[in-house]
Amino acid sequence: MKATPPLVLPAERPSDSPWWLAPALLTVAAVWGGVWGYRSSPIVHDSVWLTLPYIVPLALVAASWQPPAHRNRRTCGLVLGWVGAMIALVYAHLATFVLCAVALVLWAFQGGG
């Protein structure tokens, strides 16, 4: 008698495409976006403490490296990686805008003597 292979549900089948390609590209995009954003911002060149929040986007990209067990998990990882790359790209300019806005508000309401 011939043995039949066990039935594998569609959600448990491994994905055919290489799962590591998208996280690798998102990691490169996040690092490049962070470096470009930090270097192109006008007031953050000497403030090393402003690089600490880059941990959050890199953690989001790192979460995309978990191998997907289901197709929904793969989509979630790609979205997390994409959001992390975008945050890394705009963080330095957003911090510059906020610091300039705070300086402008403080200057406007200083009430000179």
Side-chain angles (χ1 to χ4, degrees), residues 20-77:
W20 53 267
L21 184 61
L25 292 174
L26 289 170
T27 301
V28 170
V31 170
W32 179 80
V35 168
W36 180 79
Y38 187 76
R39 300 284 291 171
S40 65
S41 182
I43 68 171
V44 297
H45 292 294
D46 295 326
S47 303
V48 177
W49 64 271
L50 286 175
T51 61
L52 291 177
Y54 282 106
I55 293 171
V56 173
L58 291 178
L60 289 172
V61 172
S64 71
W65 276 97
Q66 185 175 6
H70 302 301
R71 195 163 286 282
N72 291 343
R73 180 74 179 133
R74 182 179 186 183
T75 304
C76 181

Side-chain angles (χ1 to χ4, degrees), residues 83-109:
V83 168
M86 289 298 111
I87 290 173
L89 181 65
V90 300
Y91 165 71
H93 294 286
L94 184 63
T96 302
F97 174 76
V98 169
L99 290 174
C100 288
V102 167
L104 185 64
V105 168
L106 290 174
W107 173 78
F109 293 111

